[in-house]
Amino acid sequence: MPESGASRAQQERTHISTTRTVAAESAATGTPPGNPAATDAARRTGLLVTLVLGGLTALPPLSMDMYLPALPAVTESLHASAATVQLTLTACLTGMALGQVVVGPMSDRWGRRRPLLLGMIIYVFATAICVFAPTTELLIGFRLLQGLAGAAGIVIARAVVRDMYDGVEMARFFSTLMLISGVAPIVAPLIGGQVLRFTDWRGIFAVLTVVGVVLTLVVWKWLHETLPPQDRHTGGIGDALRTMRGLLADRVFTGYMIAGSLAFAVLFSYVSASPFVVQEIYGASPQTFSLLFGINSVGLIVVGQINGKVLVGRISLDKALAFGLSVIVLAAAALLLMTSGVFGHVGLVPVATGLFVLMSAMGLAMPNTNAQALMRTKHAAGSASALLGTSSFLIGAVASPLVGIAGEGTAVPMAVVQLVCAVGAMACFLGLCRPWQRVS
């Protein structure tokens, strides 16, 4: 039987993806791709690169989530309000957003390694200073610097994936990264809660400093350059701005970018508000909060792996994304009804269940928006990754203080922010991406 045009197209995409992967891994090992030694080296390097990129993408949740159980303690220690202390999260997010705008184009021009190593060194310095911050204002300032430097790991990890993979393989790799980086939200609050048993919140930043030093050494030793010199951009700031303007002019790319950013805002509104909701409103201990946070992260990881191992290649990425966004909208609506008293007084278990469903659905939304957006970029992976990250973190930074606008005694603002952002993400996906007009 003759092959269909769709089958030939799929085989061609698979061949291109494999060629890109082998070429990138061969460049990393320094051996030609046509012999068994090169194949073995590529496999080893591929595993190392996966672990290193997983560590880089895990750094932001480590920086955020280890600190979450300590938020009430920070408000007491520094004699600040909950809204002011939440600005330490907002500052870190804002720094990660702005840093990506700078680091992304830098990595397109000078390669991936040098900007990444510089960012990691500054991250270690800023985190170490946070250990000794005497005031909320100084803590906010160095959290901003921590975010600016930590942005290098986020944006360059995505750019390296784009250098090495394409198409369905890229979507699968993003799901694999979610498995690795997803361990961080599980472990981080548990570590943070245990650190608080032996020391105060400053000890959490001491642990993060050590993590930063270890990750910097790992990057220096094992992450090879994935962007060949001939593929680098030679222009300056003007060229970078023109590249970003061209990316934003792509309606579909912009649609995936904004939809993914609003979904991230849903997630971060949970990250920002949940310590107060779970501990202050429902009276749970820091250890109980850490356990619930870890369970929710397990849900995100499991669904992310179902996406990468089962769904990708069997159904279109747009269908998986549409289902994930729909579940997020429904879960956010249920949380608003519960927290606003429509069902009367509800305990922690129903609210925690709603948050679990919402977080799990992120395993469909986040990797697929990234993959679909980056598939539309070829020679500007760093700039495209910067736009994706900057948009996500800026919108997340705006959502963070809104969840505490009515004080510490109600979870309604959190649920309102989540529902508004979830509906906005679905509207952008349908209105700008228009998946029914394209074959995914």
Side-chain angles (χ1 to χ4, degrees), residues 313-324:
R314 291 179 172 84
I315 67 173
S316 72
L317 300 184
D318 281 329
K319 288 181 180 178
L321 175 57
F323 180 76

Side-chain angles (χ1 to χ4, degrees), residues 98-108 111-112 115-116 119 148-149 151-153 155-156 382 386:
L98 298 178
Q100 291 183 71
V101 176
V102 177
V103 176
M106 284 176 60
S107 73
D108 281 339
R112 313 303 186 199
L116 176 57
L148 286 167
V155 67
I156 292 177

Side-chain angles (χ1 to χ4, degrees), residues 49-74:
V49 168
T50 301
L51 295 175
V52 173
L53 295 182
L56 292 173
T57 55
L59 191 60
L62 278 176
S63 301
M64 296 289 180
D65 300 342
M66 279 185 63
Y67 179 61
L68 293 179
L71 284 178
V74 175

Side-chain angles (χ1 to χ4, degrees), residues 87-418:
L87 287 177
T88 62
L89 294 176
T90 302
C92 191
L93 266 184
T94 303
M96 289 180 181
L98 298 178
Q100 291 183 71
V101 176
V102 177
V103 176
M106 284 176 60
S107 73
D108 281 339
R109 184 176 183 182
W110 289 302
R112 313 303 186 199
R113 268 179 62 86
R114 284 187 290 175
L116 176 57
L117 286 170
L118 177 62
M120 292 302 302
I121 291 170
I122 297 174
Y123 172 89
V124 170
F125 168 77
T127 307
I129 295 297
C130 288
V131 176
F132 306 101
T135 65
T136 308
E137 292 76 16
L138 192 61
L139 182 61
I140 291 172
F142 278 96
R143 286 283 278 174
L144 176 65
L145 181 60
Q146 184 189 43
L148 286 167
I154 308 168
V155 67
I156 292 177
R158 278 196 302 263
V160 169
V161 173
R162 186 64 182 90
D163 291 340
M164 296 181 64
Y165 298 95
D166 201 357
V168 168
E169 290 302 317
M170 182 166 58
R172 287 183 174 140
F173 195 90
F174 274 125
S175 293
T176 300
L177 281 186
M178 181 168 289
L179 171 62
I180 298 173
S181 63
V183 172
I186 298 174
V187 175
L190 295 173
I191 295 175
Q194 294 306 311
V195 169
L196 290 176
R197 296 170 66 94
F198 302 100
T199 182
D200 61 8
W201 58 271
R202 298 179 188 277
I204 293 176
F205 285 108
V207 173
L208 285 173
T209 302
V210 174
V211 171
V213 170
V214 171
L215 190 54
T216 302
L217 294 175
V218 168
V219 167
W220 175 75
K221 183 171 179 61
W222 282 303
L223 185 63
H224 301 280
E225 183 59 64
T226 59
L227 185 65
Q230 64 270 20
D231 292 339
R232 299 176 188 177
H233 292 188
T234 57
I237 296 176
D239 183 64
L241 292 176
R242 283 190 294 272
T243 299
M244 289 186 174
R245 186 169 61 247
L247 291 170
L248 292 174
D250 182 345
R251 170 179 54 79
V252 178
F253 173 86
T254 301
Y256 285 120
M257 180 187 72
I258 299 177
S261 299
L262 289 170
F264 180 83
V266 174
L267 183 148
F268 196 74
S269 66
Y270 158 76
V271 169
S272 181
S274 59
F276 297 98
V277 171
V278 174
Q279 295 180 74
E280 301 295 330
I281 297 177
Y282 292 98
S285 67
Q287 288 71 36
T288 300
F289 162 74
S290 300
L291 177 61
L292 291 175
F293 199 94
I295 291 172
N296 290 341
S297 299
V298 169
L300 187 152
I301 292 171
V302 170
V303 173
Q305 292 312 292
I306 292 173
N307 176 73
K309 306 299 184 183
V310 179
L311 301 181
V312 171
R314 291 179 172 84
I315 67 173
S316 72
L317 300 184
D318 281 329
K319 288 181 180 178
L321 175 57
F323 180 76
L325 291 176
S326 299
V327 172
I328 293 171
V329 170
L330 292 175
L335 284 168
L336 180 58
L337 293 175
M338 286 188 287
T339 57
S340 61
V342 172
F343 302 126
H345 177 72
V346 296
L348 178 60
V349 172
V351 172
T353 301
L355 290 172
F356 174 79
V357 173
L358 182 145
M359 283 287 289
S360 297
M362 292 293 172
L364 293 175
M366 295 174 64
N368 290 329
T369 51
N370 280 332
Q372 289 286 66
L374 287 173
M375 279 183 199
R376 303 183 68 83
T377 68
K378 293 183 179 180
H379 305 297
S383 296
S385 178
L387 286 174
L388 290 172
T390 298
S391 175
S392 294
F393 283 99
L394 280 179
I395 294 177
V398 171
S400 174
L402 294 179
V403 300
I405 198 169
E408 303 174 26
T410 175
V412 171
M414 178 193 73
V416 169
V417 171
Q418 289 174 336

